[in-house]
């Protein structure tokens, strides 16, 4: 079984949970945005799982082979943008899309409530920069071992931005409405998910990639229930 199947299954379950939760009236916009992000993650991981299966079994349809101007040979030689042989996978769009959604949920909804721009919070803003810098260091270290994948590295940029807000809201002091405190479990989970992405996207096979995928799947399953617990407490 490909390791991407593990994350794909977890993301699909999480997206269905979020969709079921969103059916109720009055669901906060923040939770809906996070749900859309997880749905992007589900689509991308499921795409990669099916792509890996098709490539491994050399099962590209005849039409795809003709479009690739290849009449015979291994699947990797046909439609390199689809199979990933060109270094790009359509699934990377979904990976990046998830973290664009999560970044926007922080930037547009949560951060404006938690951070009023006070000078006393400046140290926390600077301190949170450690998260994207650490993610960049992990990605650099893995690239030196597994090889540089420009498209995968580009897909990590929104994850780095998201990690900044997750870390910032994790270390900031609570405010009057208690928003920071109730969302800390969610922020721990989201920060972990961000930090796991370099190993998920840059490694291929081996125990390290499998462990990263299992942990990312667990974080994906937990992130929406933790978000729901947090936003429910906003209105208590």
């Amino acid at each position: 079984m490909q390791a991407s199947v593990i994350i794909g299954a977890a993301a699909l379950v999480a997206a269905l949970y979020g969709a079921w939760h969103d059916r109720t009236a009055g669901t906060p916009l923040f939770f809906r945005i996070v749900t859309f992000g997880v749905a992007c993650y589900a689509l991308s991981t499921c795409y990669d799982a099916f792509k890996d299966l098709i490539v491994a079994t050399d099962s590209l349809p005849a039409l795809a082979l003709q479009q690739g101007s290849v009449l015979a040979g291994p699947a990797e030689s046909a439609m390199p943008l689809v199979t990933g042989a060109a270094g790009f996978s359509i699934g990377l769009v979904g990976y990046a899309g998830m973290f664009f959604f999560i970044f926007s949920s922080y930037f547009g909804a949560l951060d404006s409530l938690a951070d009023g721009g006070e000078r006393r919070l400046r140290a926390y803003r600077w301190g949170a920069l450690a998260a994207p810098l650490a993610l960049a260091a992990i990605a650099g270290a893995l690239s030196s071992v597994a090889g540089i994948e420009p498209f995968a590295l580009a897909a990590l940029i929104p994850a780095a931005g998201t990690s900044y807000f997750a870390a910032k809201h994790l270390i900031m002091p609570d405010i009057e409405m208690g928003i920071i405190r109730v969302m800390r479990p969610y922020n721990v989970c989201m920060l972990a998910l961000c930090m796991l992405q370099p190993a998920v996207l840059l490694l291929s096979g081996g125990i390290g990639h499998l462990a990263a995928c299992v942990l990312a799947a667990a974080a994906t399953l937990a992130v929406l229930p933790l978000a729901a617990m947090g936003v429910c407490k906003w209105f208590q």
Side-chain angles (χ1 to χ4, degrees):
M1 176 185 294
Q2 296 288 336
S4 56
V5 175
I6 302 172
I7 301 180
L12 186 58
V13 170
L16 292 174
Y17 168 85
W20 177 260
H21 198 280
D22 281 348
R23 81 192 194 285
T24 58
T27 301
L29 178 62
F30 171 82
F31 186 86
R32 294 183 186 273
I33 296 174
V34 176
T35 300
F36 288 137
V38 174
C40 276
Y41 202 45
L43 289 174
S44 64
T45 50
C46 288
Y47 173 88
D48 280 344
F50 282 116
K51 178 203 70 176
D52 291 342
L53 177 63
I54 290 172
V55 171
T57 57
D58 199 14
S59 300
L60 278 176
L63 177 60
L65 294 173
Q66 292 172 7
Q67 289 174 340
S69 299
V70 177
L71 299 179
E76 288 85 347
S77 63
M79 299 185 70
L81 290 181
V82 175
T83 63
F88 173 80
S89 168
I90 296 173
L92 289 174
V93 178
Y95 284 99
M98 173 190 178
F99 290 101
F100 272 122
F101 272 113
I102 305 299
F103 179 87
S104 67
S105 72
Y106 276 117
F107 184 79
L110 191 57
D111 195 60
S112 59
L113 298 174
D115 185 358
E118 298 92 339
R119 293 190 61 181
R120 65 183 180 86
L121 299 177
R122 183 177 297 174
Y124 300 102
R125 300 186 195 106
W126 283 101
L129 288 172
L133 291 176
L135 190 150
I138 295 170
L142 293 178
S143 294
S144 66
V145 174
I148 297 177
E149 296 286 349
F151 292 109
L153 290 173
L156 290 174
I157 293 175
T162 301
S163 72
Y164 168 78
F165 283 111
K168 176 184 172 183
H169 290 198
L170 186 60
I171 63 176
M172 281 180 63
D174 203 6
I175 59 177
E176 183 178 352
M177 293 183 291
I179 292 176
I180 297 295
R181 176 179 53 81
V182 299
M183 293 301 292
R184 279 196 177 113
Y186 167 82
N187 288 315
V188 169
C189 188
M190 184 54 65
L191 183 59
L193 190 57
C194 291
M195 291 302 175
L196 288 166
Q197 293 312 298
V200 170
L201 294 181
L202 298 176
L203 296 180
S204 179
I207 188 65
H209 185 242
L210 178 61
C213 287
V214 170
L215 291 173
T220 302
L221 283 173
V223 71
L224 278 173
L226 290 175
M229 291 170 56
V231 297
C232 284
K233 292 179 180 179
W234 294 358
F235 302 102
Q236 289 182 354

